[in-house]
Amino acid sequence: MTTTTVFLLLAEFGTGHIPLEKCCQHFGMKPEEANKRAARQSLPVPVFRLGSQKSPWLVAADVLAAYIDGQRDEATKQWRKLQRAS
């Protein structure tokens, strides 16, 4: 995970505990689907709640940053493979 990604997320969301509804697009889904999957812990990152079961699902900024960086790294690998093949 790069520090840059974490800082960009902190700047974008203003918190280290990002509401799932505000960052679910990073997983390619809408809030309704993300919340359903959060209840089953079947998202690509762990989510948690602070407070009651009615509290919103949250994603830690460093965890989301690691996920985003992993996705970028995988895309870079695929891009390099295609560049060598051309």
Side-chain angles (χ1 to χ4, degrees), residues 20-21 24-25 27-36 43:
L20 179 60
E21 290 185 355
C24 60
Q25 75 278 2
F27 310 122
M29 58 187 76
K30 294 183 180 183
E32 299 80 26
E33 177 65 21
N35 282 319
K36 287 179 188 176
L43 292 166

Side-chain angles (χ1 to χ4, degrees), residues 21-83:
E21 290 185 355
K22 291 187 177 183
C23 67
C24 60
Q25 75 278 2
H26 290 292
F27 310 122
M29 58 187 76
K30 294 183 180 183
E32 299 80 26
E33 177 65 21
N35 282 319
K36 287 179 188 176
R37 294 179 92 190
R40 299 188 311 264
Q41 287 293 333
S42 65
L43 292 166
V45 298
V47 293
F48 62 97
R49 287 180 163 152
L50 294 175
S52 73
Q53 288 186 326
K54 293 185 179 185
S55 297
W57 289 104
L58 303 171
V59 180
D62 61 330
V63 171
L64 182 56
Y67 172 78
I68 291 170
D69 289 346
Q71 294 293 102
R72 183 196 63 225
D73 292 346
E74 187 58 35
T76 300
K77 285 180 193 175
Q78 293 300 318
W79 180 83
R80 285 184 177 141
K81 281 183 188 177
L82 289 173
Q83 295 306 306

Side-chain angles (χ1 to χ4, degrees), residues 4-18:
T4 303
T5 306
V6 173
F7 285 128
L8 290 172
L9 289 172
L10 292 172
E12 179 179 351
F13 295 106
T15 180
H17 299 133
I18 304 165

